[in-house]
């Protein structure tokens, strides 16, 4: 489906820069989309970050399934990576980050202390794929009060640091990682979230794929949002009594899409279903968090 070169030249350059910048920092803050905590991750980060301390931010947690987010936080913590779930637009939601950075870098702080170095802020770099919320996080976290600190001894000329508070400063340009699409499911998850252009699949097909996930994992949210009496189930069309029933059994996602269209009145002349409008609405409402708090990847 996606036979495209996903690693354009400027990304190679950006990556080299990121690797260079790693030398300057104590901790890598990796921003993920909490609705797709694996798909929104670039596996290269393990190699780029090397042995640096790591903090995963499950961002957009306001739109993700609370329970799933809790499990994903544990998943990362079990792998030696600190994790926090946040809404990067909310200052209070970000308040957990500084203490976690300090916890993650406790050894370094201890070393500094032994050497008599006091109040040297920890240095962090924010990385993530486009649209994960890097700029939002930096803006909210740093706020108006944050002062950009200029060149300092030991810092590559021209590097800008944002002083967040007395404990932490951030490299002011986020590291942009490219998503990887080795598994087609990754591309789908990112398209559902609106993180990559819809062009990977026609809108209708994309919406049907989303419906399949929602019908399986969040049937009650779907029923409530679109006032559905039931979620169509797959079955043997041969056992059906009418052609309509046979079609529903053969393709339950399509049947569900048609039920949604009828309930919303998305009909064309002659009562035909407006599939395009229905598909667009489904995708828009998912992306806007209107269907409910949903996570596309479950730890099973
Ligand atoms: P980037 O730098 O990593 O590319 O991402 P950026 O901060 O630009 O954020 C991408 C979009 O995601 C923005 O929306 C931003 O408002 C939204 N966003 C970031 N963090 C969160 C969060 O924690 N929760 C929610 N609900 N949204 C978040 P946009 O599409 O550019 O505009 P709009 O949606 O604000 O209209």
């Amino acid at each position: 489906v996606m036979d495209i070169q996903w690693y354009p030249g400027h990304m190679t350059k950006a990556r080299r820069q990121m690797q260079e910048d790693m030398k300057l920092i104590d901790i890598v803050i990796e921003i993920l989309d909490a609705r797709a905590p694996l798909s929104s991750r670039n596996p290269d980060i393990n190699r780029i970050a090397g042995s640096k301390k790591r903090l995963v931010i499950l961002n957009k947690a306001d739109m993700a399934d609370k329970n799933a987010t809790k499990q994903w936080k544990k998943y990362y913590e079990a792998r030696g990576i600190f994790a926090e779930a946040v809404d990067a637009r909310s200052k209070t939601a970000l308040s957990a980050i500084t203490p976690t950075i300090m916890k993650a870098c406790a050894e370094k702080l201890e070393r500094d202390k032994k050497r008599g170095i006091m109040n040297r802020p920890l240095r962090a770099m924010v990385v993530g794929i486009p649209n994960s919320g890097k700029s939002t996080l930096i803006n909210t976290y740093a706020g108006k009060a944050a002062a950009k600190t200029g060149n300092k001894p030991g810092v590559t000329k021209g590097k800008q640091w944002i002083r967040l508070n007395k404990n932490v400063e951030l490299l002011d340009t986020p590291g942009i990682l490219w998503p990887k699409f080795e598994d087609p499911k990754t591309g789908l998850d990112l398209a559902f979230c609106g993180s990559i252009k819809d062009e990977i699949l026609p809108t209708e097909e994309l919406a049907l794929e989303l419906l399949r996930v929602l019908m399986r994992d969040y049937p009650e949210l779907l029923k409530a949002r679109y006032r559905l009496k039931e979620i169509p189930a797959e079955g043997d069309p041969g056992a059906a009594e009418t052609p309509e029933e046979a079609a529903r059994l053969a393709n339950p996602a399509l049947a569900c899409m048609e039920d949604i269209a009828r309930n919303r009145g998305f009909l064309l002349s002659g009562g035909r279903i407006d599939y395009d409008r229905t598909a667009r609405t489904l995708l828009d409402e998912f992306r806007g968090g209107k269907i409910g708090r949903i996570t596309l990847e479950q730890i099973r």
Side-chain angles (χ1 to χ4, degrees):
V1 189
M2 286 165 293
D3 227 14
I4 303 173
Q5 175 53 262
W6 286 107
Y7 223 97
H10 70 277
M11 289 311 300
T12 311
K13 193 171 158 232
R15 222 187 92 175
R16 220 175 290 134
Q17 182 62 53
M18 211 184 295
Q19 229 142 8
E20 204 50 42
D21 290 342
M22 282 294 154
K23 295 173 191 149
L24 307 173
I25 60 151
D26 302 304
I27 183 166
V28 179
I29 302 177
E30 187 185 353
I31 316 277
L32 305 181
D33 189 323
R35 295 168 300 172
L38 288 181
S39 294
S40 62
R41 189 156 206 253
N42 178 315
D44 280 350
I45 187 61
N46 289 329
R47 202 149 32 86
I48 299 169
S51 59
K52 290 289 172 188
K53 296 293 176 203
R54 306 272 286 280
L55 167 59
V56 151
I57 301 288
L58 295 162
N59 190 34
K60 310 195 184 185
D62 54 296
M63 294 198 281
D65 179 336
K66 259 189 179 154
N67 201 35
T69 301
K70 217 182 277 175
Q71 290 181 31
W72 282 109
K73 185 173 182 309
K74 281 194 195 137
Y75 169 94
Y76 281 112
E77 285 168 349
R79 284 155 182 80
I81 298 173
F82 287 79
E84 290 296 341
V86 308
D87 170 349
R89 299 165 310 169
S90 147
K91 185 106 191 157
T92 46
L94 293 187
S95 60
I97 294 182
T98 301
T100 307
I101 292 175
M102 294 184 70
K103 209 162 100 192
C105 298
E107 284 171 27
K108 149 101 177 172
L109 291 171
E110 196 51 41
R111 261 196 325 272
D112 277 0
K113 203 170 145 194
K114 278 192 186 134
R115 291 181 191 153
I117 301 168
M118 297 299 226
N119 306 323
R120 180 160 76 184
L122 294 164
R123 289 191 155 171
M125 182 203 282
V126 169
V127 304
I129 66 170
N131 207 47
S132 56
K134 298 177 293 303
S135 333
T136 306
L137 182 113
I138 292 175
N139 287 341
T140 310
Y141 198 167
K144 285 197 194 87
K148 284 194 180 179
T149 60
N151 296 338
K152 288 181 186 175
V155 179
T156 310
K157 198 164 175 285
K159 282 271 169 281
Q160 293 286 309
W161 295 87
I162 304 169
R163 186 76 175 254
L164 296 180
N165 48 51
K166 68 180 189 346
N167 301 309
V168 183
E169 52 187 27
L170 270 188
L171 195 59
D172 94 329
T173 44
I176 298 168
L177 296 166
W178 213 241
K180 282 252 166 122
F181 298 105
E182 272 144 20
D183 178 352
K185 194 189 154 299
T186 307
L188 282 178
D189 285 346
L190 295 175
F192 295 155
C193 293
S195 293
I196 52 166
K197 299 270 173 272
D198 289 353
E199 283 95 69
I200 61 158
L201 282 179
T203 312
E204 198 185 313
E205 222 175 299
L206 194 63
L208 280 173
E209 292 288 357
L210 176 62
L211 260 184
R212 287 186 184 106
V213 176
L214 301 184
M215 289 166 75
R216 184 190 64 204
D217 293 342
Y218 296 96
E220 294 309 317
L221 291 183
L222 211 49
K223 269 160 97 171
R225 178 72 190 172
Y226 299 105
R227 301 173 199 282
L228 304 171
K229 282 197 217 73
E230 49 142 34
I231 296 293
E234 198 171 348
D236 175 15
E241 284 173 16
T242 63
E244 290 78 24
E245 203 188 318
R248 285 181 77 82
L249 291 169
N251 194 342
L254 188 63
C256 189
M257 173 123 78
E258 290 169 352
D259 290 346
I260 291 170
R262 277 188 284 265
N263 287 359
R264 282 286 175 94
F266 294 160
L267 302 172
L268 300 166
S269 60
R272 284 173 304 125
I273 304 281
D274 189 341
Y275 291 101
D276 188 60
R277 185 166 174 208
T278 313
R280 259 172 232 292
T281 302
L282 262 167
L283 290 167
D284 282 350
E285 296 196 350
F286 169 73
R287 288 169 189 163
K290 296 209 176 76
I291 302 175
R293 301 182 60 152
I294 290 164
T295 301
L296 298 166
E297 297 175 293
Q298 309 291 338
I299 294 176
R300 290 178 205 276

